[in-house]
């Protein structure tokens, strides 16, 4: 079976983190998004957090204008709360990924509890879909969450790869292998249930191979590592290298 080309969504949040460290306008995450598109990103991802620690409302508006002009999908990540839903409806990005959010966390820890939040999340998915955005749910590779996501009416899930990345970082090969198996099974189940399956979080040149080789995956969203590597090799080369790692993994898995 030939898998379709895996799309690379580049998350540019941390260009805004660097900008905000000095409170000025440089470096501009929208200029970073443009450079990422020039370097071959298939989509741009940005997370408007409730505390606005990196991306701000005006960044999101400018990102939407850029992505529309460049005919590239913008994937806006938000918490499933009223304020954010209203902003996302106004911006109307191609895609909206609903993520869990806690103010004290450094980054998105764990997936959304779609099974537990069914009654609140289903109307939000409908509202955002009716407004013209494609909704995805950021969840763990857990059977009950995947089934709940399919029942919620969202067309897309994004599997959280963070625990896999952490296990590898910690040298815990057994746990990494278990999580990888769960992600492989989860992607398969998601596709069987009619969902488009994406993945993301904590992905690096070193750990992307086994993830990219999962044939059901259609898109990876990668941010922190690419922006970090861009310091050493430049954004264009960091994106090209990630693209190459993804393509190589797909080629050898077929
Ligand atoms: N996907 C989702 C849903 C996320 O919340 C994030 C982090 O904002 C990412 C992907 C990208 O993760 P990382 O920055 O670790 O590559």
């Amino acid at each position: 079976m030939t898998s379709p080309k895996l799309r690379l969504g580049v998350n540019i949040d941390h260009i805004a983190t660097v900008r905000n460290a000095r409170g000025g306008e440089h470096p501009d995450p929208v200029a970073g998004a443009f450079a990422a598109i020039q370097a071959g990103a298939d989509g741009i991802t940005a997370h408007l957090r409730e505390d606005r620690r990196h991306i701000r409302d005006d960044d999101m508006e400018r990102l939407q204008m850029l992505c529309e002009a460049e005919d590239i999908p913008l994937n806006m990540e938000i918490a499933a709360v009223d304020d954010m839903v209203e902003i996302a409806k106004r911006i109307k990005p191609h895609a909206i990924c609903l993520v869990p959010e806690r103010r004290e966390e450094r980054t998105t820890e764990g997936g959304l509890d779609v099974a537990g939040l069914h009654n609140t999340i289903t109307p939000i998915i409908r509202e955002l879909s009716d407004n013209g955005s494609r909704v995805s749910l950021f969840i763990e590779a857990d059977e009950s969450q995947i089934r709940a996501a399919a029942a919620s009416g969202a067309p897309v899930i994004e599997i959280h790869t963070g625990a896999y990345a952490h296990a590898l970082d910690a040298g815990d090969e057994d746990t990494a292998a278990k999580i990888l198996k769960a992600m492989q099974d989860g992607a398969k189940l998601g596709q069987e249930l009619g969902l488009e399956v994406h993945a993301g979080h904590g992905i690096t040149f070193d750990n992307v191979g086994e993830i990219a080789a999962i044939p059901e995956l259609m898109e990876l969203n990668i941010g922190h590592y690419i922006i970090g590597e861009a310091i050493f090799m430049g954004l264009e080369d960091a994106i090209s290298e990630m693209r190459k790692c993804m393509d190589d993994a797909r080629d050898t898995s077929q």
Side-chain angles (χ1 to χ4, degrees):
M1 187 188 83
T2 309
S3 317
K5 184 176 179 233
L6 186 58
R7 295 193 302 265
L8 170 58
V10 175
N11 180 317
I12 46 79
D13 290 350
H14 296 299
I15 299 178
T17 306
V18 176
R19 174 195 61 193
N20 296 357
R22 284 291 171 95
E25 298 302 323
H26 183 271
D28 180 8
V30 183
F34 182 68
I37 294 167
Q38 300 298 307
D42 301 299
I44 296 296
T45 292
H47 186 172
L48 186 68
R49 293 187 75 102
E50 290 185 87
D51 62 10
R52 310 299 198 270
R53 69 177 69 160
H54 36 58
I55 294 294
R56 306 182 306 222
D57 301 50
D58 65 300
D59 295 331
M60 241 344 151
E61 279 166 24
R62 291 186 303 126
L63 284 169
Q64 172 61 12
M65 281 193 281
L66 171 73
C67 288
E68 242 177 56
E70 295 294 322
D71 200 17
I72 282 277
L74 174 64
N75 175 34
M76 177 177 182
E77 297 172 355
I78 55 165
V81 298
D82 290 346
D83 288 1
M84 287 296 153
V85 169
E86 284 314 309
I87 296 170
K89 276 170 66 183
R90 186 164 43 74
I91 291 177
K92 257 195 196 210
H94 167 83
I96 296 174
C97 182
L98 298 177
V99 302
E101 202 175 299
R102 286 186 304 117
R103 286 195 180 231
E104 65 275 17
E105 70 190 359
R106 278 212 199 124
T107 181
T108 317
E109 291 164 3
L112 202 60
D113 178 14
V114 189
L117 292 170
H118 180 81
N119 291 343
T120 42
I121 213 130
T122 305
I124 292 176
I125 294 166
R126 197 174 316 119
E127 207 178 328
L128 293 171
S129 305
D130 288 349
N131 195 54
S133 295
R134 203 149 181 258
V135 179
S136 81
L137 303 174
F138 189 44
I139 58 174
E140 299 291 339
D142 170 88
E143 182 177 344
S144 64
Q145 295 296 345
I146 295 166
R147 290 192 182 280
S152 75
V156 183
I157 53 171
E158 181 170 326
I159 293 179
H160 199 314
T161 51
Y164 173 68
H166 282 149
L168 286 178
D169 280 351
D172 186 348
E173 300 281 341
D174 288 351
T175 302
K178 280 192 195 116
I179 302 171
L180 179 62
K181 173 83 171 60
M183 296 195 299
Q184 290 163 337
D185 292 348
K188 201 160 176 227
L189 175 65
Q191 191 184 63
E192 279 165 14
L193 294 171
L195 295 161
E196 183 172 308
V197 187
H198 302 173
H201 210 281
I203 296 177
T204 67
F205 295 153
D206 291 331
N207 67 24
V208 71
E210 298 283 10
I211 300 169
I214 299 174
E216 293 83 7
L217 291 182
M218 300 289 288
E219 176 175 309
L220 300 184
N221 284 302
I222 311 178
H224 186 268
Y225 187 81
I226 286 180
I227 304 303
E229 277 300 300
I231 293 170
F232 304 109
M233 60 198 298
L235 189 58
E236 189 175 345
D237 283 358
I239 290 173
S240 302
E241 180 63 25
M242 190 59 85
R243 174 83 264 162
K244 185 175 177 316
C245 293
M246 288 162 59
D247 291 345
D248 288 352
R250 279 268 151 131
D251 286 348
T252 51
S253 71
Q254 282 166 20

